[in-house]
Amino acid sequence: MTLATATDLATATNEHLANISNTLIYSSMAVYTLAFFTYIAEWIFGSRSKVGRTAAALTSPRKAAAPAVTVKQAGGTAVLDRPQVVTRSAAGARDVPDGPGAHGGDEQGDLYGRIAVSLTVVAWAVETAGVVARALSVQRAPWGNMYEFNITFSTVAVTVYLVMLALKKNIRWLGLPLVTTVLLDLGLAVTVLYTASDQLVPALHSYWLYIHVSTAILCGAVFYVGAVGALMYLFKDSYENKLATGGKPGRFATSVMERLPASASLDKFSYRVNAAVFPLWTFTIIAGAIWAGDAWGRYWGWDPKETWAFITWVAYACYLHARATAGWKGRKAAYIALIAFACFLFNYYGVNIFVTGKHSYAGV
């Protein structure tokens, strides 16, 4: 076999793998669409169950009675009640139980929810295979352009969701917004951002590509989950405030909000997620600076991508500081979390599309 023939064979193989990758990505979109409609069915059937919407309040764990204390005295014994331990909640906090979930306690709704999760797993597996096929077609990590970043980002976001479900976290309510976002992300990827398989520019040929970009993708996926939690918290907190002041929310708002976790639970969830991934985002920026030193001979040059990565870091640092500051917890902190995630999105989409810098490679 001549060198030219071997080259042609390798090229044909890579093109075939790229076509397989495209087919798998489109197939995953089809399965995600089925999951999308099934998640909607879960919410629709859950709205029928009035009993389910009050299940959490009726079945919330009650404080167990404190055991009695037996005290020996001269000539006999005395039985004293153990004093109850009183815990004080934060100022302004409401003792509201978590909702029963999207299924609302309805058996058919719960069935649709479990089917939706199963379809999400299938779609995730197909999409993962598509990302792997794309990597094989270019013989490198599939993170060389915005199309590859998008398909990998959505895969990792779904991975985070499925791992949390596997850990028995009460986040199935996240399924519908997550799958909706994934479909939008993949639709944008295959229509606007698609780039044919190609090799990297010399500056990207480094093991730091695997370290820096992989952590950036993981951080973005986790930040997304935290942002959805913060957004749901704002809606649920407004709903609870309206009830507390004697207001009467609409039927649709009541049906949806009563099935979500309490605002305090959503607030805590968003905070824990963002706080857990913040150190990794710090490492991502440091790793990018080290890579810049190897590739361009300087660690920091205020390139637009570097600048907005730092702005995102500052925004999340402000969020974590706000959470620890009296008077800034709750809604104010949630607004900062959403602003921080908006900075992350602009750093990726806005800077890549509208701003030219050292991180601009082959258009999108």
Side-chain angles (χ1 to χ4, degrees):
M1 180 182 296
T2 63
L3 180 60
T5 303
T7 302
D8 293 340
L9 180 60
T11 301
T13 301
N14 292 340
E15 291 178 355
H16 181 63
L17 288 171
N19 291 333
I20 292 176
S21 173
N22 295 340
T23 301
L24 290 170
I25 295 299
Y26 278 105
S27 299
S28 71
M29 292 176 65
V31 183
Y32 277 129
T33 302
L34 293 176
F36 169 78
F37 286 113
T38 314
Y39 278 118
I40 290 179
E42 178 188 17
W43 281 93
I44 290 175
F45 281 99
S47 66
R48 307 182 310 174
S49 175
K50 293 182 179 179
V51 175
R53 290 198 297 272
T54 58
L58 296 176
T59 61
S60 58
R62 296 182 175 87
K63 293 182 180 179
V69 180
T70 302
V71 180
K72 292 183 178 180
Q73 296 178 336
T77 60
V79 179
L80 306 177
D81 290 334
R82 184 182 297 275
Q84 293 185 350
V85 178
V86 178
T87 58
R88 298 183 182 275
S89 58
R94 292 178 294 266
D95 186 16
V96 178
D98 290 340
H103 55 80
D106 182 84
E107 291 185 5
Q108 194 168 7
D110 182 58
L111 174 62
Y112 277 110
R114 287 186 278 115
I115 293 174
V117 172
S118 299
L119 288 171
T120 304
V121 173
V122 173
W124 168 84
V126 174
E127 186 182 11
T128 301
V131 173
V132 172
R134 177 75 176 197
L136 294 175
S137 71
V138 293
Q139 300 179 6
R140 57 168 172 78
W143 310 320
N145 50 61
M146 289 182 69
Y147 167 75
E148 295 174 356
F149 191 100
N150 265 40
I151 62 175
T152 306
F153 174 81
S154 59
T155 304
V156 175
V158 177
T159 303
V160 172
Y161 169 68
L162 294 178
V163 168
M164 287 186 174
L165 283 180
L167 295 175
K168 307 299 182 181
K169 302 298 182 181
N170 180 25
I171 62 162
R172 204 164 81 185
W173 53 268
L174 182 63
L176 181 57
L178 172 69
V179 169
T180 303
T181 306
V182 167
L183 284 171
L184 292 173
D185 177 79
L186 292 178
L188 180 65
V190 300
T191 57
V192 178
L193 303 177
Y194 181 76
T195 304
S197 300
D198 199 1
Q199 295 303 311
L200 297 174
V201 297
L204 295 182
H205 284 286
S206 171
Y207 60 89
W208 284 106
L209 171 69
Y210 298 91
I211 300 174
H212 173 64
V213 182
S214 63
T215 54
I217 292 173
L218 178 58
C219 288
V222 179
F223 281 148
Y224 164 78
V225 172
V228 175
L231 184 63
M232 292 298 103
Y233 159 75
L234 291 174
F235 286 128
K236 188 62 182 281
D237 184 63
S238 295
Y239 173 78
E240 292 177 1
N241 283 335
K242 193 168 186 178
L243 289 179
T245 55
K248 187 176 180 181
R251 183 177 178 181
F252 176 77
T254 300
S255 174
V256 173
M257 291 298 137
E258 286 189 1
R259 286 179 277 166
L260 288 176
S263 62
S265 298
L266 291 169
D267 185 40
K268 185 182 298 183
F269 169 76
S270 178
Y271 168 66
R272 288 179 175 177
V273 167
N274 287 323
V277 79
F278 181 74
L280 186 61
W281 180 248
T282 304
F283 170 78
T284 300
I285 296 176
I286 295 173
I290 296 174
W291 187 10
D294 291 342
W296 302 319
R298 52 85 174 152
Y299 293 101
W300 195 267
W302 297 105
D303 180 76
K305 198 77 168 177
E306 299 168 348
T307 301
W308 276 96
F310 179 68
I311 291 173
T312 302
W313 185 90
V314 171
Y316 275 107
C318 290
Y319 165 73
L320 296 178
H321 179 70
R323 287 281 314 187
T325 303
W328 277 88
K329 294 180 180 180
R331 297 186 68 85
K332 292 180 181 179
Y335 288 133
I336 297 176
L338 293 177
I339 291 172
F341 185 66
C343 291
F344 176 86
L345 290 179
F346 182 79
N347 184 35
Y348 176 56
Y349 288 103
V351 172
N352 281 19
I353 296 175
F354 302 111
V355 183
T356 302
K358 283 184 172 293
H359 287 77
S360 300
Y361 299 111
V364 296

